[in-house]
Amino acid sequence: MEKKGGAESGNLEQALVHLVHEYNHKTLFIREKTENAKKDALRSGLHVSGLLVDSVNGGVQESFINEKRIEFETRALASTIMRYTKQTNQWLAASHAINSAIKVISLLICQKQKEIGDFENWMKTMDYDCKSISASLCNISKTRH
């Protein structure tokens, strides 16, 4: 019986060794599969994070470019506003000078009209005086003849 027991224990030992070997082989296979899955997951994660960074950076870059354009346009607009303000001030000064000149001319015209009116009145007075003198001279000359 010992032979049978020895043979059975040898078979059992072989079966146990075979199970341990199979277990180690499957464990190694699962470990390799897990490592490969980890590496794939890491590569995928890096790829996704790269895509996300590119996406965010693209938006940030576009925002930065737009900000620079807006700053450039703002400076150009400020320059244009300053130029128009200067030109408007020059026009206001010129129109004020024209208005002042028109007022002076208007006053001079009014003064000259008054002088012309005074001269017309003086002329009428002189005409009347001359007619009066002429009439008086005519009357004197008639009375003497």
Side-chain angles (χ1 to χ4, degrees):
M1 262 199 168
E2 284 185 18
K3 262 187 163 181
K4 228 181 185 184
E8 278 184 25
S9 78
N11 282 341
L12 189 62
E13 195 176 316
Q14 277 183 340
L16 188 58
V17 167
H18 178 68
L19 281 176
V20 168
H21 181 65
E22 196 175 303
Y23 170 79
N24 287 338
H25 182 66
K26 283 183 180 180
T27 304
L28 184 62
F29 177 75
I30 291 172
R31 193 175 294 146
E32 285 176 4
K33 201 172 183 181
T34 304
E35 279 298 314
N36 286 339
K38 278 183 186 178
K39 288 177 183 177
D40 286 345
L42 185 59
R43 274 193 299 268
S44 294
L46 287 173
H47 181 69
V48 167
S49 72
L51 291 175
L52 288 172
V53 166
D54 289 346
S55 173
V56 169
N57 283 345
V60 169
Q61 184 178 11
E62 187 176 335
S63 295
F64 181 75
I65 290 170
N66 288 338
E67 180 183 6
K68 290 299 176 188
R69 283 184 193 147
I70 289 169
E71 287 175 3
F72 176 77
E73 292 296 327
T74 301
R75 280 190 225 107
L77 182 61
S79 174
T80 302
I81 289 170
M82 292 299 292
R83 192 173 68 246
Y84 285 154
T85 300
K86 183 178 177 182
Q87 188 175 21
T88 301
N89 288 337
Q90 289 172 347
W91 287 347
L92 286 172
S95 73
H96 179 70
I98 290 170
N99 284 342
S100 296
I102 289 172
K103 284 180 184 178
V104 168
I105 290 171
S106 178
L107 287 173
L108 287 174
I109 289 172
C110 286
Q111 185 180 9
K112 292 300 176 186
Q113 285 176 338
K114 184 178 180 278
E115 289 176 7
I116 290 171
D118 290 346
F119 181 72
E120 284 178 335
N121 285 338
W122 179 80
M123 288 295 293
K124 286 179 185 175
T125 304
M126 290 300 291
D127 186 46
Y128 176 76
D129 287 346
C130 286
K131 286 180 183 176
S132 295
I133 291 172
S134 178
S136 295
L137 287 174
C138 279
N139 285 341
I140 291 175
S141 128
K142 282 184 188 178
T143 52
R144 285 199 180 175
H145 290 196

